[in-house]
Amino acid sequence: MDSIEERAACWGIETQYWDGLGQHRIVTEDVLSRLIEILGLNGKPTALDFPAVSVSHPAYQGHGNAPERMWGLAVQLYGVRSRHNWGHGDFTDLEMLIEIAAGLGASAIGLNPLHALFDNLADSYSPYSPSSRLFLNTHYIDAERIEEFPGLDEAGLADDVSALRQSELVDYVGLIKTKTRAFSLAYANFRRHGTARRKREFASFRERGGHALLRFSCFEFLRRQHDGPWWTWPAEWRTPEDERLAALRASQDEATGIHEFLQWVADSQWRACSTQAAALGLPIGLYLDIAVGVRSDGFDAWNQQSVFEPALEIGAPPDRLNLEGQRWGLAGINPIGLAEQGCAAFRRMLAASMQYAGSIRLDHVLGLKRLYLIPKDMRADQGAYVRLPFEPLLAAVSQESLAHRCVVIGEDLGTVPDGFRETLADWGLWSYQVMLFQRAADGGFVAPDHYARNALVTFATHDLPTFAGWMSSRDLAVKRALGMDPGESDQERAAARDAIARTMASRGFHTLDYPSLDRFLSETPSRLLMVSAEDVLGMMDQVNVPGTIAEHPNWRRRLPVCLEDLKGDRRLIALAKILSAERGR
């Protein structure tokens, strides 16, 4: 009889690891047994010896006419404020942003994930907890651009939209109510009065969508019919069976069809943005973030049950900021199921985003090599690392990147295994280098020439304070007010500010403000410098405070300046002149 350690090894489960506190942890026998039990429900450990894959062709490296060093503007699209949107940024806003960026000499517009969420639930709005990475978030549709939408006045929505526009934060309750009404009217008009051309285009989209679109529309219908997650539904619907689902769609054509209609509209408006970026000559165009996983009760987990394990949750072991570990609310991955299908689910996910983007960022790219998985009935510190088919996944990234002419950036922050970044570089993935983490051994900040060439460089991320918030220690005060350990004292923050000031002064920058900081970062050899709209506009509060849900308005903050005024904003114009002179286009 094999030992439990030997059985765990057959599933790629690592029996020991170092946590973020530097503590060596031995995974207990009960955790190993539970992981083996869950992973064994959907497969056998026959494909664990993942085949080695040599680097034949590195990933796409960008257009040959692109500048050696570029810059781009990063936005949280939902938070974009304009005089036309409904209190939530949309694809028309994105077209305007592309035009602004092109006029300022930028090479890219960076965006939060646009994956499909549970679009009828007001508490499910984190872009990093999607239902599906194959389909789009319909909240970004500009309803007024749907040909069949009758107009605000005729729809009786003028007052509702006016209120949404005035809201300081994104009002998801009001947004869902208003857009649901608008979409229903547009769809009803399409069914009754849609032109022959529109009907043909929709039919073509449905045909191209194939089984995936059929399943998605039925899933959206079913989850509205049944309470609870999909594994509690009536037995006939707990797994996707295409013949049965086709019969369901035929019998519920109107109720399922609206979900296909909205995906068609979202695809059309999103594709128009991509086309516009190319027409205006942005060397990269749209740079899109990809979430590390999907929610357990969402479409992808239901659709690919051999790959996703809802009884497991992706997370992280204890570290300085989370002493009990982290749960990310995302379904675990079965490495055997993933490998046995040749990483097909992963390829489809990449293609779903790459078809629109000139560059993508893979969140938590370490997850291609291993994931920390936690049984849902255990504590966050009772997980273990599980190995994934690393080289086959990298090969899939490389091949899809070349096929779609899409640069791939790996979010490689934190502690990674020796040689990991070098392996990514060999495969052509760019690094993701955040200035706040680029520290020297003495606690100072590294000089620009220490940054990698094939990399994206930026000051912070959506999970970190803005520049203004960091300088004022606003983030520390917010966390303390929420009863959280900020992980840094006021004295440590002051020392970090002094360290940045010294490093910048050594390069001739004697003012510690955001334009000077970006001039400093412009001296790095890194191919792409991204500046966030929140930093350009001096916003104090960060986009997301990890470890909070309702306690803080995560994913709800709107920009303080309307898009119509952003083009002439002196802060953006001044910064663009600096960056275009230093990095050009």
Side-chain angles (χ1 to χ4, degrees):
M1 178 68 69
D2 293 337
S3 69
I4 192 167
E5 289 81 8
E6 290 173 319
R7 286 189 288 131
C10 289
W11 285 101
I13 303 170
E14 299 182 0
T15 59
Q16 53 188 305
Y17 64 91
W18 294 88
D19 68 16
L21 299 168
Q23 179 179 345
H24 186 244
R25 290 181 174 258
I26 305 294
V27 182
T28 62
E29 186 170 318
D30 57 337
V31 171
L32 294 176
S33 296
R34 187 73 180 112
L35 286 168
I36 293 169
E37 176 187 6
I38 294 170
L39 292 172
L41 291 175
N42 287 318
K44 297 180 180 179
T46 58
L48 182 69
D49 293 327
F50 307 128
V53 180
S54 61
V55 184
S56 56
H57 297 286
Y60 179 66
Q61 298 300 299
H63 194 281
N65 295 328
E68 177 64 22
R69 298 184 306 149
M70 301 169 283
W71 73 277
L73 179 66
V75 299
Q76 303 291 322
L77 186 55
Y78 60 83
V80 169
R81 190 186 298 266
S82 72
R83 296 190 183 101
H84 95 277
N85 76 32
W86 294 9
H88 180 286
D90 60 30
F91 290 122
T92 297
D93 292 326
L94 181 53
E95 287 193 18
M96 192 182 303
L97 274 167
I98 293 167
E99 183 180 343
I100 291 172
L104 293 172
S107 295
I109 289 285
L111 300 168
N112 54 280
L114 303 184
H115 310 310
L117 309 179
F118 278 4
D119 58 357
N120 62 331
L121 301 183
D123 60 350
S124 301
Y125 48 76
S126 169
Y128 291 89
S129 296
S131 168
S132 174
R133 295 180 294 182
L134 300 179
F135 294 96
L136 293 170
N137 182 345
T138 57
H139 291 164
Y140 292 104
I141 291 174
D142 179 355
E144 295 180 79
R145 287 182 62 182
I146 304 176
E147 287 187 26
E148 296 80 15
F149 179 66
L152 287 178
D153 291 332
E154 187 175 337
L157 296 175
D159 290 341
D160 298 285
V161 169
S162 178
L164 289 170
R165 287 172 177 159
Q166 298 303 314
S167 178
E168 188 58 29
L169 299 171
V170 176
D171 174 7
Y172 285 101
V173 173
L175 177 80
I176 289 170
K177 176 184 175 182
T178 306
K179 287 210 167 183
T180 298
R181 173 63 176 162
F183 294 158
S184 296
L185 287 171
Y187 179 58
N189 284 340
F190 170 79
R191 287 178 65 89
R192 289 194 298 265
H193 310 298
T195 65
R197 172 187 58 84
R198 293 274 287 169
K199 294 286 181 71
R200 285 195 304 271
E201 290 174 354
F202 181 47
S204 176
F205 177 80
R206 294 179 78 178
E207 184 177 355
R208 293 195 307 272
H211 292 305
L213 184 61
L214 162 70
R215 292 183 176 192
F216 180 76
S217 63
C218 290
F219 177 85
E220 288 297 298
F221 170 78
L222 288 167
R223 74 173 180 84
R224 287 165 168 82
Q225 300 298 307
H226 303 289
D227 292 330
W230 52 263
W231 54 85
T232 67
W233 293 352
E236 61 183 324
W237 303 121
R238 290 179 191 169
T239 56
E241 199 280 311
D242 287 334
E243 185 174 347
R244 185 181 292 123
L245 292 175
L248 175 66
R249 183 167 74 172
S251 66
Q252 299 288 340
D253 182 61
E254 183 173 358
T256 59
I258 188 170
H259 306 298
E260 299 178 345
F261 174 79
L262 292 177
Q263 286 300 314
W264 173 49
V265 172
D267 173 79
S268 299
Q269 293 190 4
W270 185 206
R271 203 169 293 280
C273 296
S274 181
T275 300
Q276 184 197 31
L280 291 176
L282 273 68
I284 289 180
L286 301 173
Y287 155 56
L288 188 61
D289 223 357
I290 307 298
V292 67
V294 297
R295 54 189 294 167
S296 298
D297 56 351
F299 170 74
D300 286 359
W302 175 76
N303 185 46
Q304 291 284 340
Q305 293 179 34
S306 65
V307 174
F308 293 101
E309 295 286 357
L312 297 176
E313 188 171 349
I314 300 173
D319 60 23
R320 184 181 178 190
L321 297 181
N322 300 275
L323 298 179
E324 297 181 355
Q326 300 177 51
R327 313 184 79 101
W328 295 350
L330 303 173
I333 301 292
N334 188 316
I336 304 302
L338 183 63
E340 284 182 339
Q341 50 147 262
C343 303
F346 182 69
R347 287 179 179 276
R348 287 192 292 270
M349 180 276 293
L350 292 174
S353 290
M354 286 181 174
Q355 64 179 317
Y356 307 105
S359 176
I360 63 166
R361 187 192 81 142
L362 295 176
D363 193 27
H364 190 61
V365 73
L366 180 58
L368 299 184
K369 186 175 181 67
R370 66 177 190 174
L371 285 170
Y372 183 78
L373 301 183
I374 311 158
K376 281 202 169 180
D377 52 359
M378 293 185 166
R379 299 191 314 269
D381 63 349
Q382 293 180 302
Y385 280 104
V386 178
R387 290 192 294 113
L388 269 65
F390 185 38
E391 289 183 341
L393 288 172
L394 286 175
V397 170
S398 177
Q399 291 158 9
E400 295 299 321
S401 167
L402 288 166
H404 294 278
R405 297 174 62 82
C406 183
V407 172
V408 179
I409 297 160
E411 189 264 286
D412 52 354
L413 303 177
T415 303
V416 300
D418 291 341
F420 179 78
R421 290 190 176 94
E422 291 76 9
T423 299
L424 295 187
D426 289 342
W427 283 92
L429 279 73
W430 293 10
S431 183
Y432 185 75
Q433 302 199 309
V434 175
M435 183 178 183
L436 283 179
F437 296 145
Q438 295 296 311
R439 308 294 290 267
D442 62 359
F445 288 79
V446 301
D449 50 335
H450 286 270
Y451 286 74
R453 174 182 176 271
N454 282 346
L456 179 151
V457 60
T458 188
F459 170 71
T461 76
H462 56 262
D463 287 335
L464 295 172
T466 63
F467 178 77
W470 188 81
M471 288 292 292
S472 65
S473 298
R474 165 76 173 166
D475 59 308
L476 305 183
V478 166
K479 288 181 179 178
R480 289 179 184 127
L482 293 170
M484 301 172 65
D485 181 352
E488 187 177 4
S489 68
D490 291 326
Q491 293 77 14
E492 288 172 324
R493 176 60 57 81
R497 284 193 296 267
D498 289 343
I500 278 188
R502 287 195 305 271
T503 302
M504 290 177 58
S506 70
R507 307 290 294 206
F509 302 108
H510 298 287
T511 302
L512 185 50
D513 56 20
Y514 190 65
S516 298
L517 181 119
D518 278 328
R519 289 183 64 195
F520 172 84
L521 291 177
S522 282
E523 293 192 355
T524 68
S526 301
R527 297 288 307 277
L528 181 61
L529 164 61
M530 294 299 294
V531 300
S532 76
E534 291 83 6
D535 284 334
V536 174
L537 300 175
M539 294 177 68
M540 294 289 290
D541 289 299
Q542 65 197 70
V543 169
N544 176 54
V545 176
T548 65
I549 301 176
E551 307 95 319
H552 191 75
N554 299 326
W555 318 116
R556 295 185 62 201
R557 298 195 180 279
R558 303 180 67 198
L559 295 180
V561 175
C562 279
L563 267 186
E564 293 83 353
D565 300 321
L566 184 64
K567 185 175 182 179
D569 189 279
R570 57 178 178 79
R571 294 163 294 185
L572 179 59
I573 291 173
L575 185 59
K577 287 181 178 178
I578 292 170
L579 297 180
S580 295
E582 303 254 350
R583 297 195 149 235
R585 182 153 74 78

